[in-house]
Amino acid sequence: MLNVHVFESGFTFLLADLRFQCSKWGNPADPVQILDFFQSIVEMESGRDLFDKMKHRFLSFKSHKYIANSEHYQALSKGQAPKFMVIACADSRVCPSNILGFEPGEAFTVRNVANLVPTFESGPSETNAALEFAVNSLEVRNILIVGHSCCGGIRALMSMQDDADSSFIRSWVIVGKKAKLSTKATASNLDFDRQCTHCEKESINNSLLNLLTYPWIEERLKKGLLSLHGGYYDFVDCTFEKWTLDYKGSITDGNNRVIVKDRSFWC
Amino acid sequence: MAKQSAEVVVQGLKKILISEEQELDEEVQAKVEMLIAELQGKKHGSHLHCKDPDARKLDHGFHFFKTNIFDAHPEFFRELAEGQHPKFLVVACSDSRVSPSVVLNFKPGEAFESRNIANMVPQFDRIRHTEIGAVIEYAIKSLQVDNILIMGHSRCGGIERLMKLPDHTQTFDFIDEWVKIGLPAKKKVLQEAGNLPFEEQLTLCEKESVRNSMGNLLTYPFVRDAVVNGTLTLRGGYYDFVNGSFEQWKMCPKPCH
């Protein structure tokens, strides 16, 4: 039998009891009940933890970067003024700090499944709260959406059947539905893997168009204070493709598609 | 033989580019330049950005990564391209100063990362919170991570906004709605430390909000099941970039005596 140690309130539970409670609660359980049951379940540990590897890495960061550039970090601690907002996938292989070399202070970053941006009309969400902060408070100059190869979220979108069971992933990736539809319309002759690659890029453009649905984004675009970019990282070949939304071109096009400029390919 | 045929094609493509008879549109021109660069095995694009320092920054950053990291470990990246098996899901703030890859030195493949304002995890809500729900669901059901780390930090703008609400001078439609997830943390701080200066309340709330989010994780049935089964550990962390420190804690099942 196992106990869960409760640090602050000082009493313990039998884990068997916890299992019983979980089965009573059903799915989903009443959060107030759960939080009452656990109260404060955290235990402070400093240095004695199995998390030693992480501690060593932090100390390595501290000595090689933080202390080595202490003036810069002191200035940063007073406030951030990043030029970029980056929206990237949560995938462990595509951290923008790694692949694009962003240093602390350079990129305000959102990471979610499949680097999707919902529309303004879809209501408050995690990503658009971050957008609001980045654009209206930090006044970033660039928003860069970074997609990537072998994206599990896009694959889930492309594999989705209409009558499938609901899940969080399904409810979320549906934000990219238009990209799936245009992929099926233009690339259905390709095998499934290549369709997914096509959709990974289509989805970036779909999200760029979704950015235009935010009035305060459009306003800054019109004034030339903000640029929107798409990027695609292929980690099989290690290449990076980057393009910029041609705002005026896209608006006047009339076909609700992304017109791009300044396309480049790094290999 | 292959090299010769590549050169022939490159010459042909270059002729098209400089031809005065045919004018290529920008997209086609970029593709032709891309192909020339590939055939020549050269870097491409850097010359385009001499007037765009932000684009140059991305270009240099990617080339540094490719040259010093990717190309230096081809076998590692080949394997990683086949699939990811991170042990961690990290929920961190979008703040540009607190990338977990930098602060905790996560290598590619080690941490599935969600980043949002004030590193919050809301309670299970299939309608309102599909975004973070999808991250947690994927991390646990597909990737089967061993740990979820919620990492808070000093001088968090999102927590400051939470502590200043309600603000009758200015409203943010999306930010204000999001940071309300942390209201239980704010309530606790005001109850227990309402007499302390605002700056100290902020620090307390930054840490309390991490604990609040750890509790919210348990409202997700798949998280609860994994914790109960002993296959998942929930961890909290706090990065103080003013003093250069990091503290961590966890939910701790222990053997009983």
Side-chain angles (χ1 to χ4, degrees):
Chain A
M1 283 197 296
L2 294 175
N3 289 330
V4 172
H5 176 75
V6 176
F7 180 74
E8 284 174 33
S9 60
F11 55 92
T12 56
F13 305 96
L14 294 173
L15 206 57
D17 190 36
L18 172 60
R19 284 197 186 94
F20 169 69
Q21 294 289 344
C22 285
S23 65
K24 257 197 337 184
W25 290 326
N27 174 15
D30 175 6
V32 172
Q33 263 191 312
I34 301 171
L35 294 172
D36 279 348
F37 185 74
F38 275 97
Q39 299 200 26
S40 283
I41 48 172
V42 297
E43 176 169 301
M44 291 292 289
E45 294 213 323
S46 49
R48 294 175 289 126
D49 201 9
L50 298 169
F51 231 32
D52 272 347
K53 194 173 170 187
M54 190 154 293
K55 174 187 150 194
H56 291 139
R57 287 192 187 178
F58 174 73
L59 293 175
S60 166
F61 156 73
K62 182 167 179 170
S63 61
H64 293 121
K65 289 199 172 176
Y66 186 92
I67 291 175
N69 301 286
S70 60
E71 239 179 77
H72 175 61
Y73 277 87
Q74 285 310 312
L76 266 187
S77 73
K78 295 186 170 63
Q80 54 170 335
K83 293 200 175 94
F84 282 92
M85 174 180 186
V86 178
I87 298 163
C89 187
D91 192 301
S92 63
R93 299 166 285 191
V94 303
C95 175
S97 304
N98 286 332
I99 64 173
L100 295 172
F102 285 115
E103 297 290 334
E106 292 188 329
F108 189 77
T109 306
V110 163
R111 292 182 71 181
N112 63 40
V113 169
N115 43 275
L116 295 166
V117 177
T119 59
F120 178 79
E121 294 80 16
S122 58
S125 76
E126 196 172 322
T127 288
N128 55 33
L131 274 174
E132 191 173 33
F133 188 72
V135 174
N136 294 335
S137 290
L138 296 178
E139 297 184 334
V140 295
R141 291 211 307 243
N142 304 276
I143 300 177
L144 169 65
I145 301 177
V146 179
H148 70 96
S149 51
C150 310
C151 181
I154 295 295
R155 200 170 187 92
L157 170 67
M158 290 294 288
S159 313
M160 230 158 64
Q161 303 296 326
D162 287 334
D163 56 352
D165 292 332
S166 69
S167 69
F168 273 114
I169 293 171
R170 188 189 155 82
S171 307
W172 170 248
V173 299
I174 207 111
V175 167
K177 192 173 160 192
K178 280 187 182 163
K180 176 179 178 175
L181 290 172
S182 79
T183 297
K184 290 290 185 196
T186 57
S188 55
N189 54 313
L190 299 177
D191 62 48
F192 186 68
D193 283 345
R194 291 217 186 115
Q195 285 187 37
C196 286
T197 302
H198 187 96
C199 190
E200 282 154 7
K201 297 180 187 183
E202 273 301 305
S203 171
I204 298 166
N205 286 336
N206 181 52
S207 286
L208 285 172
L209 286 177
N210 286 353
L211 283 174
L212 295 180
T213 64
Y214 293 81
W216 21 270
I217 289 183
E218 204 173 10
E219 201 182 309
R220 292 183 76 81
L221 276 168
K222 279 183 188 158
K223 291 177 182 170
L225 298 171
L226 179 65
S227 299
L228 307 183
H229 315 276
Y232 182 79
Y233 169 47
D234 181 337
F235 54 57
V236 180
D237 300 328
C238 197
T239 58
F240 195 91
E241 216 178 311
K242 177 238 140 204
W243 59 96
T244 298
L245 176 78
D246 180 343
Y247 171 64
K248 288 193 180 114
S250 301
I251 293 299
T252 54
D253 177 63
N255 290 325
N256 201 37
R257 56 182 183 154
V258 166
I259 305 296
V260 304
K261 59 180 183 179
D262 298 338
R263 195 187 273 277
S264 49
F265 183 80
W266 306 327
C267 56
Chain B
M1 193 66 178
K3 195 179 169 192
Q4 276 178 340
S5 63
E7 271 167 14
V8 165
V9 171
V10 164
Q11 293 312 316
L13 288 171
K14 279 182 175 172
K15 274 192 190 149
I16 293 172
L17 275 184
I18 60 172
S19 162
E20 283 170 3
E21 290 166 20
Q22 301 178 59
E23 227 179 87
L24 303 176
D25 79 34
E26 217 176 276
E27 192 172 329
V28 174
Q29 188 172 334
K31 290 202 172 175
V32 171
E33 283 170 352
M34 197 156 66
L35 188 51
I36 291 174
E38 263 195 71
L39 289 168
Q40 289 178 325
K42 266 189 197 161
K43 289 192 299 188
H44 175 75
S46 35
H47 65 284
L48 291 175
H49 305 308
C50 39
K51 289 185 184 146
D52 186 345
D54 293 341
R56 224 177 24 249
K57 159 110 211 121
L58 299 178
D59 190 359
H60 290 160
F62 179 71
H63 280 105
F64 180 89
F65 165 72
K66 180 169 163 69
T67 312
N68 297 297
I69 300 173
F70 194 97
D71 289 345
H73 303 94
E75 204 41 56
F76 172 75
F77 281 98
R78 209 173 353 256
E79 257 188 64
L80 206 51
E82 298 298 317
Q84 54 167 337
H85 307 283
K87 288 203 166 82
F88 291 91
L89 160 62
V90 180
V91 180
C93 187
S94 295
D95 192 302
S96 62
R97 300 166 284 191
V98 304
S99 166
S101 305
V102 172
V103 174
L104 297 174
N105 205 9
F106 282 114
K107 304 286 182 295
E110 291 190 326
F112 194 70
E113 286 183 29
S114 171
R115 291 183 69 182
N116 65 46
I117 299 261
N119 43 273
M120 290 198 181
V121 176
Q123 289 172 3
F124 181 104
D125 187 326
R126 236 198 237 296
I127 309 294
R128 287 181 63 211
H129 293 301
T130 55
E131 192 167 342
I132 186 78
V135 167
I136 300 168
E137 188 178 72
Y138 194 80
I140 298 210
K141 289 188 177 178
S142 297
L143 299 177
Q144 295 172 346
V145 296
D146 299 332
N147 302 276
I148 301 180
L149 166 67
I150 301 179
M151 190 172 105
H153 71 96
S154 50
R155 306 235 168 121
C156 182
I159 296 294
E160 187 175 353
R161 183 68 191 160
L162 168 68
M163 291 296 283
K164 283 183 172 169
L165 287 177
D167 179 357
H168 302 296
T169 61
Q170 188 182 31
T171 51
F172 288 101
D173 295 330
F174 298 132
I175 296 171
D176 292 351
E177 201 51 45
W178 176 253
V179 299
K180 280 177 186 168
I181 293 167
L183 276 175
K186 173 179 177 174
K187 188 174 160 193
K188 188 162 190 229
V189 167
L190 291 177
Q191 268 170 3
E192 296 177 2
N195 54 320
L196 292 184
F198 187 64
E199 290 294 322
E200 289 182 44
Q201 289 182 20
L202 284 179
T203 303
L204 288 170
C205 193
E206 283 154 3
K207 297 180 188 182
E208 193 56 44
S209 172
V210 170
R211 290 193 197 99
N212 179 53
S213 286
M214 286 168 80
N216 286 348
L217 276 173
L218 290 167
T219 64
Y220 295 75
F222 34 88
V223 173
R224 214 160 53 232
D225 289 345
V227 168
V228 162
N229 291 334
T231 55
L232 179 70
T233 305
L234 304 188
R235 302 176 183 270
Y238 183 77
Y239 167 44
D240 180 343
F241 53 60
V242 182
N243 301 308
S245 66
F246 180 76
E247 54 185 290
Q248 48 164 316
W249 57 96
K250 68 180 181 186
M251 261 176 54
C252 190
K254 280 182 176 174
C256 64
H257 306 294

